[in-house]
Amino acid sequence: MSKRRNMLYVGGLDSLVNEEVLHAAFIPFGELKSVQVVKDFIANKSRGFGFVEYDLDDDASDAIDNMDGSELFGKVIRCSIAKPPSTQVQPGQAVWSAEEWIQNSLKENENINIIDDNDDIKLDSLIPK
């Protein structure tokens, strides 16, 4: 499988940068397929990075050449070709159905007991700490 060269990782984003700002910053280099700023699920705040996908590989290359090391909202950003996720999950497949994810999750949580003395699930044990 060839590496996708039209999907960019954009790091070092200020917390005020949203999809609209990222779109406006990267549209001068070509047509965009998608723009995503990754947010913390619980806090609903930016995690400081995002992804920009171009229609054409050449447009993505131009964006890297021009935007890597540039300043956006007072912060220097990093741009590079996005790397595929480390756990390979087939399209349409839930991440928890991947055997590697299940095994890693079990290792991380092996000391957590979610069943109480009455064989009921402890609801507070399901909330991430």
XYZ file of all heavy atoms in Angstrom, residues 32-128:
758
model
N -8.935 21.766 -0.820
C -8.894 20.923 0.369
C -10.058 19.931 0.363
O -11.181 20.288 0.043
C -8.970 21.778 1.626
C -7.823 22.772 1.839
C -8.127 23.678 3.009
C -6.531 22.026 2.057
N -9.756 18.694 0.742
C -10.806 17.684 0.921
C -11.396 17.772 2.322
O -12.601 17.674 2.506
C -10.234 16.274 0.732
C -10.115 15.813 -0.664
C -9.708 14.346 -0.656
C -9.595 13.802 -2.042
N -9.203 12.379 -2.028
N -10.506 17.922 3.307
C -10.975 17.982 4.695
C -9.969 18.717 5.570
O -8.788 18.782 5.251
C -11.201 16.570 5.254
O -9.989 15.867 5.334
N -10.493 19.263 6.666
C -9.684 19.941 7.674
C -10.220 19.509 9.028
O -11.433 19.521 9.251
C -9.786 21.483 7.533
C -9.024 22.174 8.639
C -9.291 21.930 6.175
N -9.304 19.118 9.921
C -9.728 18.674 11.245
C -8.755 19.175 12.297
O -7.545 19.007 12.156
C -9.781 17.139 11.297
C -10.146 16.590 12.640
C -10.040 15.072 12.707
O -9.453 14.436 11.838
N -10.598 14.500 13.738
N -9.285 19.792 13.343
C -8.495 20.139 14.520
C -8.888 19.113 15.580
O -10.066 18.966 15.908
C -8.785 21.573 15.008
C -8.090 21.838 16.334
C -8.339 22.582 13.963
N -7.908 18.386 16.090
C -8.178 17.319 17.054
C -8.420 17.942 18.424
O -7.649 18.775 18.883
C -7.003 16.316 17.090
C -7.254 15.229 18.129
C -6.799 15.713 15.709
N -9.532 17.506 19.049
C -9.912 18.044 20.353
C -9.898 16.959 21.407
O -10.126 15.793 21.120
C -11.316 18.652 20.278
C -11.394 19.871 19.406
C -12.766 20.483 19.446
C -12.794 21.739 18.595
N -14.083 22.404 18.671
N -9.647 17.385 22.641
C -9.766 16.499 23.783
C -11.250 16.214 23.976
O -12.060 17.140 24.066
C -9.177 17.171 25.027
C -9.281 16.289 26.244
O -10.347 16.324 26.898
O -8.313 15.584 26.542
N -11.613 14.950 24.030
C -13.012 14.549 24.102
C -13.704 15.080 25.353
O -14.823 15.562 25.300
C -13.110 13.017 24.059
C -14.509 12.502 24.141
C -15.378 12.637 23.074
C -14.959 11.881 25.284
C -16.672 12.165 23.151
C -16.257 11.400 25.369
C -17.109 11.542 24.295
N -13.035 15.013 26.470
C -13.660 15.404 27.739
C -13.678 16.924 27.905
O -14.711 17.511 28.205
C -12.940 14.727 28.922
C -13.142 13.213 28.824
C -13.452 15.256 30.253
C -12.312 12.410 29.787
N -12.546 17.576 27.693
C -12.447 19.022 27.912
C -12.976 19.830 26.729
O -13.217 21.024 26.854
C -11.005 19.417 28.189
N -13.146 19.190 25.573
C -13.596 19.842 24.345
C -12.695 21.019 23.967
O -13.153 22.050 23.516
C -15.059 20.280 24.442
C -15.642 20.579 23.084
O -15.244 19.980 22.073
N -16.585 21.496 23.022
N -11.381 20.835 24.185
C -10.391 21.851 23.822
C -9.423 21.255 22.812
O -9.195 20.049 22.791
C -9.609 22.313 25.050
C -10.425 23.114 26.035
C -9.553 23.612 27.163
C -10.365 24.436 28.141
N -9.548 24.927 29.240
N -8.836 22.113 22.020
C -7.859 21.673 21.030
C -6.680 20.987 21.700
O -6.207 21.421 22.746
C -7.347 22.873 20.228
O -6.262 22.500 19.413
N -6.207 19.908 21.068
C -5.027 19.206 21.576
C -3.748 19.755 20.946
O -2.667 19.242 21.187
C -5.151 17.715 21.311
C -6.292 17.094 22.140
C -6.390 15.622 22.001
N -5.141 14.968 22.353
C -4.841 13.727 21.977
N -5.681 13.033 21.254
N -3.694 13.193 22.320
N -3.872 20.802 20.120
C -2.695 21.457 19.569
C -2.212 20.909 18.243
O -1.134 21.258 17.791
N -3.019 20.049 17.617
C -2.643 19.555 16.296
C -3.889 19.253 15.487
O -5.000 19.214 16.011
C -1.726 18.325 16.383
C -2.391 17.084 16.934
C -2.930 16.134 16.077
C -2.448 16.850 18.293
C -3.522 14.983 16.571
C -3.030 15.708 18.805
C -3.572 14.773 17.938
N -3.687 19.081 14.199
C -4.799 18.790 13.313
C -4.311 18.159 12.024
O -3.116 17.868 11.863
N -5.246 17.964 11.095
C -4.936 17.343 9.814
C -5.597 18.140 8.699
O -6.717 18.626 8.849
C -5.433 15.900 9.783
C -4.769 15.042 10.817
C -5.354 14.832 12.054
C -3.536 14.471 10.568
C -4.740 14.062 13.021
C -2.907 13.696 11.532
C -3.508 13.490 12.753
N -4.879 18.249 7.591
C -5.380 18.922 6.401
C -5.191 17.951 5.243
O -4.089 17.430 5.044
C -4.598 20.232 6.132
C -5.058 20.873 4.844
C -4.735 21.192 7.301
N -6.266 17.704 4.495
C -6.186 16.784 3.361
C -6.446 17.544 2.068
O -7.449 18.243 1.937
C -7.202 15.658 3.515
C -7.121 14.629 2.420
C -8.108 13.491 2.604
O -9.028 13.606 3.438
O -7.961 12.482 1.896
N -5.533 17.398 1.126
C -5.639 18.036 -0.186
C -6.133 17.037 -1.224
O -5.984 15.821 -1.059
C -4.276 18.578 -0.632
C -3.898 19.868 0.050
C -3.134 19.866 1.200
C -4.323 21.088 -0.458
C -2.786 21.048 1.831
C -3.975 22.276 0.166
C -3.217 22.249 1.297
O -2.882 23.420 1.917
N -6.684 17.569 -2.324
C -7.048 16.729 -3.457
C -5.802 16.169 -4.133
O -5.773 15.017 -4.548
C -7.871 17.515 -4.486
C -9.319 17.688 -4.065
O -9.840 16.840 -3.317
O -9.927 18.696 -4.486
N -4.771 17.009 -4.249
C -3.571 16.633 -4.998
C -2.333 16.576 -4.109
O -2.145 17.426 -3.229
C -3.318 17.633 -6.128
C -4.447 17.822 -7.140
C -4.106 18.953 -8.103
C -4.705 16.527 -7.893
N -1.468 15.595 -4.387
C -0.215 15.463 -3.640
C 0.676 16.692 -3.798
O 1.341 17.113 -2.846
C 0.557 14.228 -4.126
C -0.134 12.914 -3.797
O -1.181 12.938 -3.115
O 0.379 11.859 -4.219
N 0.692 17.271 -5.003
C 1.540 18.446 -5.253
C 1.114 19.639 -4.408
O 1.953 20.412 -3.938
C 1.519 18.831 -6.736
C 2.270 17.840 -7.608
O 3.123 17.097 -7.060
O 2.008 17.815 -8.820
N -0.195 19.786 -4.214
C -0.698 20.872 -3.370
C -0.249 20.676 -1.922
O 0.147 21.628 -1.238
C -2.222 20.953 -3.432
C -2.726 21.358 -4.807
O -1.936 21.908 -5.602
O -3.921 21.117 -5.085
N -0.302 19.435 -1.460
C 0.140 19.127 -0.094
C 1.627 19.430 0.051
O 2.060 19.991 1.059
C -0.151 17.668 0.233
N 2.403 19.078 -0.956
C 3.842 19.349 -0.933
C 4.121 20.851 -0.886
O 4.988 21.311 -0.131
C 4.501 18.729 -2.168
O 5.866 18.984 -2.185
N 3.370 21.629 -1.672
C 3.514 23.087 -1.648
C 3.174 23.653 -0.271
O 3.842 24.567 0.224
C 2.615 23.740 -2.704
C 3.076 23.493 -4.123
O 4.253 23.088 -4.305
O 2.257 23.694 -5.046
N 2.129 23.107 0.350
C 1.725 23.585 1.679
C 2.816 23.308 2.701
O 3.127 24.172 3.540
C 0.416 22.925 2.100
N 3.432 22.131 2.640
C 4.518 21.809 3.571
C 5.678 22.782 3.368
O 6.209 23.339 4.331
C 4.997 20.357 3.391
C 3.919 19.386 3.869
C 6.296 20.120 4.158
C 4.212 17.936 3.543
N 6.050 22.989 2.101
C 7.172 23.888 1.795
C 6.941 25.297 2.328
O 7.874 25.957 2.781
C 7.410 23.957 0.282
C 7.945 22.652 -0.284
O 8.427 21.809 0.497
O 7.866 22.474 -1.520
N 5.706 25.756 2.282
C 5.408 27.132 2.671
C 4.987 27.298 4.132
O 5.201 28.363 4.713
C 4.302 27.693 1.776
C 4.795 27.996 0.392
O 5.435 29.007 0.178
N 4.534 27.094 -0.545
N 4.379 26.277 4.721
C 3.802 26.440 6.055
C 4.636 25.844 7.183
O 4.498 26.261 8.326
C 2.391 25.841 6.089
C 1.399 26.564 5.186
S 1.149 28.300 5.632
C 0.175 28.123 7.117
N 5.489 24.866 6.892
C 6.305 24.281 7.949
C 7.253 25.349 8.500
O 8.032 25.947 7.762
C 7.098 23.084 7.432
C 7.816 22.354 8.548
O 7.221 22.171 9.621
O 8.988 21.968 8.338
N 7.147 25.605 9.790
C 7.978 26.631 10.425
C 7.384 28.025 10.373
O 7.978 28.973 10.870
N 6.201 28.148 9.780
C 5.561 29.473 9.736
C 4.818 29.732 11.044
O 4.711 28.859 11.899
C 4.605 29.564 8.548
O 3.501 28.710 8.726
N 4.303 30.944 11.185
C 3.632 31.338 12.408
C 2.132 31.454 12.168
O 1.695 32.015 11.170
C 4.193 32.679 12.870
C 3.807 33.042 14.277
C 4.533 34.290 14.747
O 5.774 34.322 14.679
O 3.834 35.231 15.163
N 1.345 30.888 13.089
C -0.109 30.978 13.034
C -0.611 31.283 14.443
O -0.338 30.526 15.375
C -0.704 29.662 12.507
C -2.207 29.620 12.279
C -2.628 30.626 11.205
C -2.651 28.223 11.880
N -1.279 32.410 14.597
C -1.772 32.858 15.904
C -0.635 32.953 16.920
O -0.798 32.595 18.089
C -2.873 31.939 16.421
C -4.247 32.273 15.896
C -4.498 32.346 14.536
C -5.291 32.521 16.764
C -5.743 32.662 14.052
C -6.556 32.832 16.289
C -6.777 32.911 14.930
N 0.523 33.399 16.457
C 1.646 33.623 17.355
C 2.458 32.398 17.707
O 3.382 32.484 18.513
N 2.138 31.252 17.129
C 2.897 30.033 17.422
C 3.474 29.467 16.136
O 2.829 29.492 15.090
C 2.000 28.991 18.093
C 1.562 29.412 19.493
C 0.790 28.338 20.179
C 1.739 27.308 20.748
N 1.050 26.268 21.520
N 4.679 28.943 16.222
C 5.327 28.309 15.076
C 4.711 26.922 14.899
O 4.651 26.128 15.844
C 6.853 28.198 15.284
C 7.499 27.446 14.145
C 7.463 29.583 15.433
N 4.233 26.654 13.679
C 3.582 25.369 13.417
C 4.515 24.442 12.645
O 5.442 24.881 11.972
C 2.242 25.547 12.657
C 2.460 26.202 11.293
C 1.257 26.334 13.508
C 1.204 26.234 10.431
N 4.249 23.156 12.774
C 4.987 22.125 12.056
C 4.031 21.440 11.081
O 2.902 21.123 11.447
C 5.546 21.088 13.035
C 6.516 21.664 14.044
C 6.927 20.644 15.095
N 5.838 19.894 15.710
C 5.069 20.324 16.693
N 5.251 21.535 17.189
N 4.113 19.570 17.197
N 4.501 21.198 9.874
C 3.696 20.523 8.857
C 4.508 19.390 8.258
O 5.679 19.574 7.926
C 3.307 21.478 7.736
S 2.349 22.881 8.262
N 3.879 18.246 8.115
C 4.531 17.100 7.489
C 3.460 16.158 6.954
O 2.276 16.305 7.279
C 5.426 16.370 8.491
O 4.662 15.873 9.565
N 3.889 15.202 6.150
C 2.959 14.181 5.672
C 2.498 13.393 6.895
O 3.316 12.978 7.719
C 3.639 13.234 4.652
C 4.124 14.001 3.423
C 2.726 12.090 4.266
C 3.025 14.597 2.580
N 1.189 13.201 7.022
C 0.640 12.473 8.164
C 1.017 11.003 8.079
O 0.987 10.405 7.002
C -0.878 12.635 8.204
N 1.380 10.444 9.207
C 1.694 9.019 9.288
C 0.416 8.255 9.580
O -0.446 8.747 10.315
C 2.708 8.758 10.393
C 4.034 9.418 10.137
C 4.970 9.192 11.299
C 6.273 9.929 11.065
N 7.136 9.915 12.238
N 0.289 7.041 9.042
C -0.911 6.258 9.334
C -0.943 5.874 10.811
O 0.110 5.796 11.456
C -0.774 5.027 8.442
C 0.662 4.947 8.082
C 1.207 6.335 8.169
N -2.138 5.635 11.356
C -2.226 5.240 12.762
C -1.459 3.938 12.998
O -1.359 3.097 12.107
C -3.721 5.048 13.009
C -4.382 5.122 11.698
C -3.430 5.672 10.708
N -0.934 3.772 14.200
C -0.121 2.598 14.502
C -0.946 1.318 14.531
O -0.461 0.263 14.171
C 0.615 2.779 15.827
O -0.303 2.984 16.867
N -2.180 1.364 14.982
C -3.052 0.202 14.976
C -3.872 0.237 13.704
O -4.630 1.165 13.480
C -3.988 0.204 16.201
O -3.192 0.249 17.370
C -4.870 -1.007 16.225
N -3.704 -0.771 12.886
C -4.419 -0.818 11.619
C -5.806 -1.407 11.830
O -5.948 -2.555 12.236
C -3.640 -1.649 10.592
C -2.307 -1.040 10.221
C -2.461 0.328 9.561
O -3.380 0.557 8.796
N -1.565 1.232 9.874
N -6.827 -0.613 11.581
C -8.209 -1.040 11.678
C -8.816 -0.889 10.291
O -8.633 0.128 9.626
C -8.985 -0.184 12.708
C -10.435 -0.595 12.770
C -8.330 -0.295 14.073
N -9.528 -1.886 9.867
C -10.154 -1.861 8.554
C -11.271 -0.819 8.524
O -11.931 -0.586 9.544
C -10.735 -3.242 8.215
C -9.684 -4.341 8.171
C -8.636 -4.074 7.110
O -8.946 -3.625 6.019
N -7.386 -4.337 7.442
N -11.516 -0.192 7.376
C -12.622 0.770 7.278
C -13.938 0.114 7.686
O -14.215 -1.026 7.307
C -12.636 1.144 5.801
C -11.256 0.837 5.300
C -10.782 -0.331 6.121
N -14.705 0.817 8.487
C -15.990 0.296 8.945
C -15.870 -0.620 10.153
O -16.855 -1.150 10.628
N -14.653 -0.816 10.661
C -14.428 -1.686 11.807
C -14.181 -0.827 13.043
O -13.415 0.131 12.990
C -13.214 -2.589 11.548
C -12.879 -3.509 12.690
C -11.592 -4.288 12.439
O -10.800 -3.922 11.589
N -11.393 -5.340 13.173
N -14.826 -1.164 14.138
C -14.630 -0.428 15.381
C -13.229 -0.686 15.913
O -12.708 -1.794 15.798
C -15.664 -0.859 16.417
N -12.604 0.332 16.497
C -11.234 0.210 16.983
C -11.125 -0.888 18.042
O -10.128 -1.588 18.118
C -10.692 1.561 17.507
C -11.423 1.992 18.754
C -9.207 1.485 17.770
N -12.148 -1.069 18.883
C -12.082 -2.056 19.945
C -12.226 -3.479 19.424
O -12.035 -4.420 20.158
C -13.112 -1.787 21.034
C -14.481 -1.568 20.506
C -15.411 -2.508 20.207
C -15.071 -0.312 20.193
N -16.539 -1.929 19.719
C -16.368 -0.582 19.702
C -14.640 0.998 20.273
C -17.219 0.427 19.291
C -15.507 1.988 19.860
C -16.765 1.706 19.388
N -12.553 -3.648 18.147
C -12.605 -5.001 17.599
C -11.250 -5.443 17.070
O -11.069 -6.597 16.708
C -13.663 -5.096 16.501
O -13.311 -4.275 15.409
N -10.280 -4.547 17.041
C -8.920 -4.903 16.628
C -8.234 -5.615 17.784
O -8.182 -5.097 18.899
C -8.144 -3.660 16.220
N -7.696 -6.776 17.539
C -7.095 -7.600 18.588
C -5.981 -6.873 19.341
O -5.906 -6.932 20.566
C -6.553 -8.897 17.974
C -6.018 -9.884 18.983
C -7.069 -10.423 19.947
O -8.257 -10.483 19.571
O -6.704 -10.756 21.078
N -5.134 -6.134 18.630
C -4.031 -5.414 19.273
C -4.567 -4.387 20.262
O -4.066 -4.264 21.373
C -3.176 -4.722 18.215
C -2.009 -3.966 18.794
C -1.207 -3.237 17.720
O -1.382 -3.514 16.523
O -0.415 -2.366 18.094
N -5.624 -3.668 19.896
C -6.202 -2.664 20.784
C -6.770 -3.322 22.032
O -6.582 -2.842 23.148
C -7.295 -1.877 20.060
C -7.849 -0.764 20.889
C -7.373 0.500 20.986
C -8.976 -0.833 21.776
N -8.123 1.230 21.862
C -9.123 0.440 22.367
C -9.869 -1.829 22.129
C -10.116 0.732 23.279
C -10.870 -1.541 23.043
C -10.985 -0.274 23.601
N -7.438 -4.453 21.856
C -8.027 -5.161 22.998
C -6.935 -5.603 23.960
O -7.039 -5.404 25.168
C -8.866 -6.367 22.514
C -10.097 -5.871 21.755
C -9.267 -7.253 23.687
C -10.859 -6.958 21.037
N -5.873 -6.214 23.425
C -4.787 -6.689 24.278
C -4.124 -5.539 25.028
O -3.836 -5.656 26.221
C -3.756 -7.461 23.448
C -4.285 -8.761 22.873
C -4.828 -9.702 23.937
O -4.275 -9.815 25.025
N -5.926 -10.361 23.630
N -3.866 -4.426 24.342
C -3.251 -3.264 25.001
C -4.161 -2.696 26.073
O -3.712 -2.295 27.136
C -2.895 -2.190 23.981
C -1.722 -2.580 23.116
O -0.937 -3.441 23.478
N -1.621 -1.960 21.960
N -5.451 -2.643 25.785
C -6.411 -2.118 26.746
C -6.466 -2.996 27.987
O -6.528 -2.512 29.111
C -7.788 -2.009 26.103
O -8.712 -1.490 27.013
N -6.428 -4.309 27.791
C -6.461 -5.225 28.927
C -5.209 -5.074 29.786
O -5.283 -5.105 31.006
C -6.595 -6.669 28.443
C -7.954 -7.048 27.856
C -7.912 -8.452 27.279
C -9.047 -6.924 28.899
N -4.051 -4.899 29.152
C -2.807 -4.725 29.900
C -2.853 -3.449 30.730
O -2.438 -3.435 31.880
C -1.613 -4.670 28.946
C -1.254 -6.001 28.363
C -0.107 -5.857 27.389
C 0.122 -7.140 26.632
N 1.115 -6.978 25.564
N -3.375 -2.369 30.153
C -3.440 -1.083 30.852
C -4.399 -1.129 32.022
O -4.226 -0.439 33.013
C -3.866 0.025 29.892
C -2.841 0.356 28.845
C -3.375 1.314 27.794
O -4.511 1.784 27.941
O -2.649 1.581 26.830
N -5.454 -1.934 31.901
C -6.527 -1.924 32.896
C -6.601 -3.207 33.713
O -7.618 -3.473 34.339
C -7.872 -1.682 32.213
C -7.930 -0.348 31.513
O -7.524 0.649 32.082
N -8.397 -0.331 30.288
N -5.535 -4.004 33.759
C -5.625 -5.300 34.420
C -5.824 -5.195 35.926
O -6.338 -6.116 36.541
C -4.417 -6.168 34.093
C -3.098 -5.603 34.527
C -1.928 -6.413 33.993
O -2.101 -7.235 33.098
O -0.843 -6.193 34.508
N -5.491 -4.082 36.531
C -5.657 -3.931 37.977
C -6.977 -3.263 38.352
O -7.206 -2.991 39.522
C -4.491 -3.136 38.562
C -3.181 -3.881 38.422
O -3.163 -5.109 38.469
N -2.100 -3.148 38.234
N -7.826 -2.997 37.390
C -9.097 -2.332 37.667
C -10.200 -3.377 37.808
O -10.398 -4.201 36.927
C -9.461 -1.332 36.551
C -8.406 -0.229 36.474
C -10.848 -0.755 36.776
C -8.603 0.714 35.327
N -10.905 -3.346 38.920
C -11.999 -4.269 39.158
C -13.311 -3.534 38.920
O -13.631 -2.593 39.648
C -11.927 -4.811 40.588
C -12.984 -5.863 40.862
O -13.690 -6.290 39.949
N -13.086 -6.271 42.103
N -14.073 -3.958 37.899
C -15.315 -3.244 37.586
C -16.553 -3.941 38.140
O -17.657 -3.451 38.003
C -15.465 -3.032 36.067
C -15.584 -4.352 35.319
C -14.342 -2.193 35.531
C -15.997 -4.203 33.878
N -16.397 -5.100 38.783
C -17.523 -5.838 39.351
C -17.451 -5.747 40.875
O -16.409 -6.006 41.478
C -17.498 -7.327 38.913
C -17.422 -7.456 37.384
C -18.684 -8.075 39.486
C -18.628 -6.928 36.649
N -18.587 -5.391 41.500
C -18.591 -5.300 42.958
C -18.942 -6.651 43.583
O -19.084 -7.653 42.887
C -19.526 -4.185 43.434
C -20.993 -4.450 43.136
O -21.354 -5.590 42.796
O -21.795 -3.504 43.246
N -19.105 -6.679 44.905
C -19.365 -7.930 45.625
C -20.705 -8.558 45.256
O -20.906 -9.757 45.448
C -19.322 -7.676 47.141
C -17.932 -7.260 47.600
O -16.953 -7.657 46.921
O -17.821 -6.556 48.615
N -21.644 -7.775 44.728
C -22.963 -8.289 44.337
C -23.026 -8.652 42.854
O -24.101 -8.808 42.301
C -24.046 -7.251 44.645
C -24.129 -6.935 46.116
O -23.923 -7.807 46.955
N -24.401 -5.680 46.437
N -21.865 -8.762 42.210
C -21.758 -9.053 40.777
C -22.428 -7.995 39.903
O -22.913 -8.284 38.810
C -22.338 -10.439 40.434
C -21.470 -11.563 40.965
O -20.256 -11.333 41.124
O -21.989 -12.667 41.201
N -22.470 -6.763 40.406
C -22.969 -5.635 39.622
C -21.781 -4.820 39.130
O -20.726 -4.780 39.771
C -23.878 -4.736 40.476
C -25.176 -5.435 40.862
O -25.694 -6.216 40.046
O -25.653 -5.181 41.987
N -21.972 -4.134 38.000
C -20.902 -3.295 37.453
C -20.817 -2.013 38.268
O -21.825 -1.353 38.517
C -21.153 -2.973 35.977
C -21.093 -4.252 35.157
C -20.156 -1.949 35.461
C -21.435 -4.066 33.697
N -19.600 -1.655 38.676
C -19.368 -0.395 39.382
C -19.298 0.712 38.329
O -18.348 0.761 37.547
C -18.048 -0.434 40.147
C -17.957 -1.449 41.234
C -16.615 -1.280 41.930
C -16.087 -2.571 42.434
N -14.721 -2.443 42.940
N -20.299 1.554 38.294
C -20.352 2.591 37.269
C -19.187 3.558 37.356
O -18.673 4.008 36.338
C -21.680 3.350 37.340
C -22.921 2.511 37.023
C -24.161 3.366 37.164
C -22.825 1.928 35.637
N -18.738 3.882 38.564
C -17.627 4.822 38.678
C -16.317 4.237 38.155
O -15.394 4.959 37.824
C -17.454 5.297 40.129
C -17.131 4.176 41.092
O -17.459 3.005 40.802
O -16.556 4.472 42.156
N -16.240 2.919 38.012
C -15.014 2.306 37.482
C -14.926 2.465 35.969
O -13.875 2.269 35.371
C -14.966 0.810 37.825
O -15.997 0.110 37.140
N -16.018 2.841 35.332
C -16.031 3.016 33.885
C -15.646 4.422 33.470
O -15.438 4.679 32.289
C -17.411 2.673 33.326
C -17.884 1.239 33.600
C -19.302 1.055 33.079
C -16.953 0.226 33.001
N -15.565 5.336 34.420
C -15.214 6.722 34.128
C -13.704 6.856 34.139
O -13.054 6.497 35.108
C -15.847 7.682 35.163
C -17.364 7.557 35.114
C -15.410 9.116 34.904
C -18.078 8.257 36.239
N -13.117 7.374 33.024
C -11.653 7.540 32.991
C -11.180 8.484 34.072
O -11.829 9.464 34.380
C -11.393 8.141 31.604
C -12.643 7.961 30.841
C -13.753 7.815 31.804
